[in-house]
Amino acid sequence: MAERSERAPGWGLAGELFAEFTGTMILILFGVGVVAQVLAAGLGDHDSISWAWGLGVTLGVYVAARLSGGHLNPAVTVALAAFKGFPWRKVAPYALAQTAGAFVAALLVRWNYTEVLAKFDPAHSIKSQGVFSTLPGNGGFPVSELGALRDQVIGTAVLVLLVFAVTDVLNDPPRANLGPFIVGLIVVAIGMAFGTNAGYAINPARDFGPRLASYLTGYGTAWRDQYGNLYFWVPIVGPLIGGVVGGALYRLLIGRFLVKGGMQEVGRAPAPDTAE
């Protein structure tokens, strides 16, 4: 017991990466799973999708937060490095762990829904591609790649600004370990308000991991949109830009005006803004 308690304060990078992998896997199991159920099986609607994604975020963060901070999103990790002092050397490993977790979860959903997807879309085409990855206008509305990019920048900026707000100990963060629950509600709200133009990926790992999983399991259209254009880059670039924009806006409009208090280890939740 003494040895375990001595190790408790620092689990090392390996523990953090396993936490990010597992937390993101939980997120995608619920998120991609609900889209498969709604789109391919016809059970539920957009509200079901929004709530399941939000609850997936909440549960994933609760799984990972103690070890890694529960980022579950490369855009959040980059924003924390840019504005909260999170070590840049950990950004790429975190992003890889998050993407790997999303990839494994999508493979599990693909396997579990094999029969349903085959009946709904025997060709495994763009018709059911939206189960795994996002499309401009959700594959049906006349939204261009640039329109979807704009949407992803805005949506992720809103996400990161609000995450910074509810995890900043100098602000008024949720008490009693409710932070992950509130972050989940943020994702629910974004899904309900910004779900049309690009499927609110707002997370490069969430989109690329399942997109790769679908490609490797028969979806030849995985990298393109309904127009036949290469699209996979949009939900990667847009969220990465949007995360930095959201972090900058929080610092500019809120963080720099808060009275500084005691410091806390960076990358954890809650954590103070480090603006001078």
Side-chain angles (χ1 to χ4, degrees):
M1 292 298 292
E3 180 180 352
R4 182 174 300 176
S5 65
E6 286 175 4
R7 292 180 178 179
W11 297 270
L13 182 59
E16 295 172 34
L17 298 183
F18 276 116
E20 287 296 304
F21 172 90
T22 307
T24 309
M25 183 174 68
I26 295 297
L27 161 62
I28 299 302
L29 283 172
F30 284 99
V32 172
V34 73
V35 180
Q37 181 167 272
V38 172
L39 181 62
L43 300 176
D45 53 21
H46 180 72
D47 285 354
S48 306
I49 293 173
S50 296
W51 278 106
W53 275 107
L55 289 171
V57 169
T58 294
L59 298 172
V61 173
Y62 273 126
V63 165
R66 184 69 181 94
L67 282 171
S68 68
H71 303 181
L72 316 186
N73 184 340
V76 171
T77 301
V78 168
L80 287 170
F83 299 103
K84 297 282 190 175
F86 184 75
W88 280 103
R89 62 182 174 82
K90 292 185 179 182
V91 170
Y94 265 52
L96 288 173
Q98 293 154 358
T99 303
F103 173 76
V104 170
L107 285 179
L108 288 171
V109 173
R110 175 72 172 88
W111 182 33
N112 191 49
Y113 278 93
T114 298
E115 298 84 1
V116 174
L117 289 168
K119 179 175 176 58
F120 176 73
D121 180 18
H124 297 116
S125 66
I126 201 79
K127 180 180 179 182
S128 60
Q129 177 58 42
V131 167
F132 300 96
S133 53
T134 58
L135 293 165
N138 285 323
F141 293 96
V143 179
S144 68
E145 289 78 19
L146 290 179
L149 181 67
R150 173 197 64 216
D151 174 87
Q152 287 300 285
V153 171
I154 294 172
T156 314
V158 171
L159 170 68
V160 170
L161 188 154
L162 292 174
V163 167
F164 276 24
V166 301
T167 60
D168 189 345
V169 295
L170 301 182
N171 202 336
D172 189 19
R175 281 12 182 229
N177 200 27
L178 284 175
F181 178 69
I182 302 301
V183 172
L185 289 182
I186 292 170
V187 174
V188 172
I190 291 173
M192 289 181 172
F194 291 93
T196 298
N197 284 358
Y200 74 106
I202 56 176
N203 181 339
R206 169 268 174 273
D207 195 86
F208 184 78
R211 193 180 294 271
L212 178 61
S214 66
Y215 176 74
L216 294 176
T217 57
Y219 282 84
T221 60
W223 307 112
R224 298 183 180 273
D225 59 22
Q226 65 268 30
Y227 311 117
N229 300 322
L230 283 175
Y231 181 75
F232 74 93
W233 62 273
V234 172
I236 297 174
V237 174
L240 290 174
I241 295 173
V244 173
V245 171
L249 287 174
Y250 181 77
R251 170 171 287 190
L252 176 66
L253 301 176
I254 303 295
R256 66 194 180 106
F257 298 110
L258 297 173
V259 177
K260 285 193 174 296
M263 300 299 291
Q264 183 174 344
E265 185 178 359
V266 297
R268 306 299 183 197
D273 189 85
T274 56
E276 295 298 326

